[in-house]
Amino acid sequence: MSSSPSAILLSDEPLTALVGAERLRAAGYGPRVVDCPQALLSGLASGGVALGVIDLDHTSELSPELRTAILDAAAAAGAGVVAVSASQPGAGPWPHVAGKPFTAQEARTWRALLVPRMGMAEATPLSVDRLAQSLGGAPADALAMLGDYADMALEQHDRLRVALSEADWPRVSELAHRLCGALGAIEARTAATTCRQLMQAAARGDLARARALGETVDLQLVAIEQKLRELLPGDRPRASGA
């Protein structure tokens, strides 16, 4: 079974699709070509996608709303997004922009650039080293902050789960908002981003998106709880449902 990270190329121009897929494959991706934005959204939502490449020369009719939906779906999936165009002006709203045609070497560069955005599936839901660095370099301070998080926020994990199970969307938005800041404070960046997206989706009544994000957040919180149990002494971090 191939271990290549998956990439989706959005283009309805045959030569771009053919050459782009070949370059992505040479860069180490398992590429798939789609010809409409909804197919890209579906692919991102299904999980397992590391990179989305959008050919703006043939999908330039993307609305701001659709662009936001693609970026939100990519963030929730832990995927990166690169927009490519023969004339790059106008591609500015996208977080990463490249010229076209792109080379395999450039695609390998994207992979390195986007590694932090691909980290959701890794067993590193938070980084003690990164947290210690943000606090001035002392690992003891990082562990103390993680202990404070365990004391204050683990109960919020369970409250969010209850609100999700009851489809209490105002409560979901409120609790996701509370957790977002706390997760950011302990350098659990991916979970913080997903909580923010959940807060926004629940607040605006986008219930299908909120349900999907809620499932993702739950998995991320379980990973954080496991990491806290590994890092902190004794039985201080309480396992959800234990």
Side-chain angles (χ1 to χ4, degrees):
M1 183 171 61
S2 173
S3 60
S4 299
S6 175
I8 297 179
L9 170 61
L10 171 60
S11 179
D12 58 7
E13 197 281 310
L15 186 58
T16 295
L18 178 66
V19 174
E22 178 183 318
R23 303 278 168 81
L24 288 168
R25 190 173 296 106
Y29 294 96
R32 176 159 63 96
V33 177
V34 298
D35 61 5
C36 71
Q38 290 300 329
L40 174 59
L41 279 170
S42 297
L44 290 168
S46 69
V49 176
L51 178 69
V53 180
I54 298 174
D55 177 11
L56 293 182
D57 295 337
H58 297 278
T59 53
S60 56
E61 73 279 3
L62 286 172
S63 67
E65 294 77 15
L66 194 50
R67 181 176 64 239
T68 297
I70 289 171
L71 292 175
D72 283 352
V81 172
V82 174
V84 297
S85 174
S87 57
Q88 292 186 38
W94 297 91
H96 300 287
V97 182
K100 197 182 73 174
F102 60 87
T103 66
Q105 181 56 47
E106 286 175 306
R108 281 190 286 269
T109 301
W110 301 341
R111 186 175 179 183
L113 175 68
L114 297 168
V115 161
R117 297 180 63 84
M118 298 179 196
M120 185 175 295
E122 298 173 1
T124 53
L126 54 88
S127 169
V128 177
D129 290 341
R130 192 169 61 210
L131 178 56
Q133 184 177 16
S134 73
L135 294 173
D141 290 342
L143 291 174
M145 177 170 281
L146 292 176
D148 290 340
Y149 179 91
D151 289 341
M152 294 184 294
L154 288 181
E155 185 177 354
Q156 301 298 322
H157 290 198
D158 285 344
R159 289 178 178 174
L160 178 58
R161 290 178 175 117
V162 170
L164 285 165
S165 70
E166 296 177 348
D168 185 347
W169 301 114
R171 182 69 168 153
V172 167
S173 183
E174 175 190 350
L175 289 165
H177 174 66
R178 291 182 189 176
L179 276 174
C180 178
L183 289 163
I186 63 168
E187 292 290 335
R189 297 179 182 179
T190 299
T193 296
T194 315
C195 268
R196 183 172 64 253
Q197 294 167 347
L198 173 60
M199 171 193 74
Q200 294 167 343
R204 67 175 179 257
D206 187 350
L207 302 189
R209 177 125 177 86
R211 290 187 185 95
L213 287 166
E215 293 176 2
T216 300
V217 166
D218 187 26
L219 292 173
Q220 291 170 342
L221 295 182
V222 167
I224 288 169
E225 290 161 2
Q226 177 60 38
K227 191 67 174 179
L228 291 173
R229 287 195 295 273
E230 295 170 3
L231 292 170
L232 299 179
D235 59 358
R236 184 178 188 178
R238 171 187 44 75
S240 174

